[in-house]
Amino acid sequence: MSTPPVTQTPAKLTGVKTDHDLFVITNIPGKGLGVIAKKDMPIGTIVWTEKPLFTETSTDQEYATAQINCDDTFLRNKLAALSYADQAIFRELSSDLLGVTFGNGKVIPDAIARFRSNAFELAVTPTGRTQGIFAVASRFNHSCRANARWESRDSGSGVRVVSIYVVIPILAGQEVTIDYFGPVQTRASTQARRNWMRPRYGWWCACQLCADDKNGAFFDAVMHVICKYHLVRAPMTEGEQPGVLAVRSAPHMALWRCKASVQAAIQSGLQTAPELLILPLDDAAGVCAAVGDIARAKTFLALILATIAPIKHTENGKRIEAMFKPVLEKPETHEMCRKLGKVEKRWITKAEDAKPLWCDGFWEWLWARAGNTPAALPALLNLEGYSFPPEALRKARAQLSEWDSFTTKKSSK
């Protein structure tokens, strides 16, 4: 049953429409302006697509130098080329960096403060990094557990646009949020995310995830499991090589690591962030492909495509589909097989041995070859009220680190 449409008082902004079909830009207590959903929106809903007011391209060195020297010439020239109406839209953008003084004693110019707080990164090319300012998209607030995601794509006319789509179902009356920094920083700890955002935006993140100590601690633990145990896509450096070699010497334990990560992602609700669930599913497919278990390898790859099905019309969904669809056809071409150099034929199955997705006994069959779960994992993944104390978390992490060290030593023998 859908939630009845919500009526909000639209904010009054110069030259900017604030009342749209799916959302309204309005004042949110304690936040200033933000975006509130007017209707229920399922995963994959395109909330908003927009062309930029203007873009600016510079190298990282040029951009950093201009900010350190508080030289806003590069922006003043861009603003001068805008209409008076668009200049007014830019001047109404908020920023917590207004009036802030750099360590060198110089005050950040208003133009740089507003640009730095509201720009979206549209493209990175050999000539520099292109960022854009948007009349509407720049009004969406940040959350480290955002219910929507933004992406930059080519509009077909050579102009890059920003498109915002739903990744967690949104009910009418809820705020629509995006994460400002993307999947890589999202995996960082609460403290690391805050430390990254404070100098860039001028505020200490107080989103629901960061402000709730228990939720934040649990999220940090989940990220520890998912990123610590990632096997496949990481570069083949000296430090990561034992984890990859463990696939050859102890594939059942490597598969357990994947299972732990999938459990962590699902139980924490992170299946709505496709990249985070895809990491361990990709690893599991790689482990199975590397030891000749084609049936399970294809099934894990099919799960990846099922995970991104609601967003496959987005640029991100298309990119993920293009990456994994060919491997689904030929699992032996998986990256893990390339890293190991050959397929170890230890768990031989054929594609026709695979069970249909979601059938009776599916999950038991899928993880049948994973090793036993260490005692630390149930405590780590206990979601009941997020009530376990920080000390228990630390012990669980320590035990997982010891387990990691144990499996690494076994793989090096």
Side-chain angles (χ1 to χ4, degrees), residues 4-170:
V6 171
T7 302
Q8 296 280 345
T9 303
K12 293 183 179 179
L13 296 173
T14 305
V16 179
K17 182 181 177 182
T18 56
D19 194 359
H20 298 267
D21 290 341
L22 295 177
F23 64 89
V24 60
I25 300 172
T26 187
N27 286 293
I28 299 176
K31 286 188 173 183
L33 292 179
V35 173
I36 299 294
K38 291 169 62 177
K39 303 175 183 177
D40 293 353
M41 291 185 272
I43 295 175
T45 301
I46 303 295
V47 182
W48 185 246
T49 301
E50 182 182 6
K51 292 181 180 180
L53 285 176
F54 70 91
T55 61
E56 193 281 326
T57 302
S58 56
T59 65
D60 290 344
Q61 181 65 44
E62 291 169 341
Y63 187 62
T65 300
Q67 293 189 78
I68 292 171
N69 294 330
C70 293
D71 180 3
D72 63 354
T73 304
F74 72 108
L75 286 176
R76 282 191 281 113
N77 293 337
K78 292 283 185 179
L79 293 172
L82 297 179
S83 67
Y84 288 123
D86 286 350
Q87 289 181 31
I89 291 171
F90 178 76
R91 286 195 297 270
E92 280 192 333
L93 293 174
S94 63
S95 172
D96 284 4
L97 295 173
L98 292 170
V100 171
T101 303
F102 270 133
N104 57 12
K106 294 182 179 180
V107 177
I108 302 176
D110 287 1
I112 289 181
R114 288 192 171 90
F115 186 82
R116 182 166 171 166
S117 295
N118 294 283
F120 287 79
E121 183 175 283
L122 302 179
V124 179
T125 66
T127 59
R129 199 178 296 270
T130 299
Q131 301 180 81
I133 289 290
F134 297 80
V136 173
S138 293
R139 313 286 177 175
F140 285 76
N141 287 323
H142 165 81
S143 173
C144 294
R145 178 69 69 79
N147 52 26
R149 177 161 297 171
W150 67 272
E151 63 182 9
S152 166
R153 61 178 177 81
D154 193 332
S155 64
S157 61
V159 177
R160 295 202 71 81
V161 299
V162 154
S163 185
I164 295 172
Y165 61 93
V166 176
V167 293
I168 297 176
I170 300 173

